[in-house]
Amino acid sequence: MSPSSLDELIEALRCLPGVGPKSAQRMAYHLLQRDQRGAARLAGALAHALDVLRHCERCNTFSEEAVCARCANPRRDASLLCVVEMPADLAMIEQTQSYSGMYYVLMGRLSPLDGIGPRELRLDKLIARASDGKVGEVILATNFTNEGEATAHTVASLLSARGLKVSRLSRGVPVGGELEHTDTGTIAQALIERRSV
Ligand SMILES: [Zn+2]
């Protein structure tokens, strides 16, 4: 017997991070009973986003175009490439208004326990991007968590081996710190005080 549409919805909601069976059930009841308009909007927005969004050829972040507006902007400094884990980190660095170079968004971090190695993270795409001949310095701005540090270490070795200059945000960002939860002043300072690796 195939699961009922209600069971299927509850099961589908469990794909969200941190959502177990109980909360999935609560969400399903809420959407169906209390907020049908919200549910329809969510379903539409999700289907639309899945349909139109892809990854920018250059920076790898979500984009509706092959090359996103930021990468296509000729006023940005093409000699600097800042590597971050997620689009939220890019947004934080943009908020500091102290960086006008380009970005590369990994869309994750190395996490061997979850089966995410260099291949899954598509580090070959980053290497190709950094080797475009215009990039003079790659700034590693992954988080200062264990996984973020390990990612920075691996990326640094891969890029240094190709003769690229690599730097890392300074320790102004606290140990275990995630950019998303760090104030913009601290990030701006860490950018200025970045060190070669
Ligand atoms: Zn882009």
Side-chain angles (χ1 to χ4, degrees):
M1 199 182 91
S2 62
S4 75
S5 48
L6 179 59
D7 291 339
E8 170 60 22
L9 173 60
I10 292 169
E11 194 51 41
L13 285 164
R14 292 191 59 192
C15 77
L16 293 166
V19 173
K22 277 263 157 51
S23 6
Q25 205 172 49
R26 267 200 304 275
M27 286 178 186
Y29 294 161
H30 174 84
L31 290 168
L32 295 171
Q33 181 65 33
R34 306 255 169 243
D35 195 3
Q36 290 198 358
R37 277 181 60 184
R41 189 177 169 198
L42 174 63
L46 190 55
H48 183 66
L50 281 171
D51 190 35
V52 303
L53 287 179
R54 50 183 146 169
H55 293 283
C56 169
E57 280 171 11
R58 310 202 73 208
C59 71
N60 202 39
T61 198
F62 293 120
S63 171
E64 293 188 16
E65 313 294 333
V67 174
C68 76
R70 190 175 294 106
C71 288
N73 182 351
R75 285 195 296 274
R76 298 201 68 113
D77 183 350
S79 72
L80 291 175
L81 185 69
C82 181
V83 178
V84 295
E85 293 180 21
M86 296 300 289
D89 303 321
L90 183 160
M92 281 304 290
I93 292 178
E94 281 295 277
Q95 271 183 43
T96 68
Q97 300 187 341
S98 60
Y99 179 76
S100 62
M102 313 304 278
Y103 290 93
Y104 187 88
V105 184
L106 293 168
M107 291 288 176
R109 60 203 70 81
L110 292 177
S111 181
L113 291 178
D114 302 314
I116 301 174
R119 193 180 316 169
E120 287 70 26
L121 208 51
R122 295 288 321 274
L123 291 185
D124 53 331
K125 191 175 168 186
L126 164 61
I127 290 166
R129 172 64 186 90
S131 312
D132 73 345
K134 290 183 188 150
V135 173
E137 178 184 355
V138 179
I139 304 166
L140 301 176
T142 53
N143 291 316
F144 283 90
T145 56
N146 285 339
E147 290 178 344
E149 290 277 36
T151 305
H153 184 77
T154 302
V155 171
S157 344
L158 288 170
L159 296 176
S160 305
R162 284 160 181 80
L164 286 152
K165 184 182 171 201
V166 185
S167 61
R168 176 83 168 116
L169 286 194
S170 82
R171 277 293 193 173
V173 178
V175 175
E178 298 186 328
L179 294 192
E180 201 182 338
H181 306 295
T182 304
D183 67 284
T184 51
T186 303
I187 296 176
Q189 195 61 26
L191 265 168
I192 294 166
E193 294 173 356
R194 65 185 183 268
R195 56 188 169 75
S196 290
V197 293

